Amino acid sequence: MEPVSVALLAALAGGVAGEIGRQTWTALGALVRRPFGRGGGNTPPVSSGEPELTSLATDPSDQGRAQALSTALAVRAAVDEDFRAGLAAWQEQAALVRAEDSAVTNLISGGTLNGPVLMGRDFNNPTFTAPAPPPSSRGAGDNAADSTR
């Protein structure tokens, strides 16, 4: 199982991605707070991840706290099969919010653009008011001849 990204944890703790990010962070908190496995009550001598989660929530910009949470999640997943399954499911949902994958590369090369160009990521319902197209390469006399036909 892949460790949970430190950048993702810090971003979620910092409140990125609006409501979906908040829900993802809340779901991680609920997962971490679940008791260890369904075994006979033997709690392994590892962190549940809750202290690290709380610590990161108080200072989301601290990469050390994010790393500590990532490590605690990985260790717990290694010793708790139920947690590992829940964490894997959580990571699939968190893929929607991948903060480190938000880089955008826009490139326009060559040619002439005769309209608006939108560069960025994740646009919702963009609208444009475009200027009239440039005049054609035909001469003015051609236009007059066209209007008489």
Side-chain angles (χ1 to χ4, degrees):
M1 166 176 232
E2 291 284 320
V4 179
S5 161
V6 170
L8 175 64
L9 292 171
L12 290 173
V16 301
E19 183 61 22
I20 189 81
R22 187 190 64 71
Q23 290 174 2
T24 303
W25 180 252
T26 300
L28 179 61
L31 177 65
V32 164
R33 289 178 185 94
R34 285 192 342 205
F36 276 88
R38 296 185 191 122
N42 290 340
T43 302
V46 299
S47 174
S48 67
E50 190 168 359
E52 293 83 359
L53 184 84
T54 302
S55 177
L56 180 58
T58 62
D59 187 1
S61 65
D62 186 334
Q63 292 295 305
R65 292 177 190 214
Q67 181 61 59
L69 177 56
S70 179
T71 301
L73 296 174
V75 170
R76 181 168 175 189
V79 300
D80 184 342
E81 189 175 316
D82 290 339
F83 182 78
R84 180 174 42 252
L87 186 61
W90 178 85
Q91 283 183 292
E92 287 179 27
Q93 290 296 315
L96 300 172
V97 192
R98 300 300 291 216
E100 72 265 14
D101 293 340
S102 65
V104 176
T105 302
N106 295 292
L107 175 67
I108 296 177
S109 115
T112 302
L113 301 174
N114 293 314
V117 175
L118 185 62
M119 299 179 81
R121 178 177 169 234
D122 299 332
F123 298 102
N124 294 316
N125 304 316
T127 58
F128 299 97
T129 303
S136 69
S137 60
R138 295 187 301 173
D142 290 342
N143 286 339
D146 285 345
S147 65
T148 59
R149 290 183 197 179

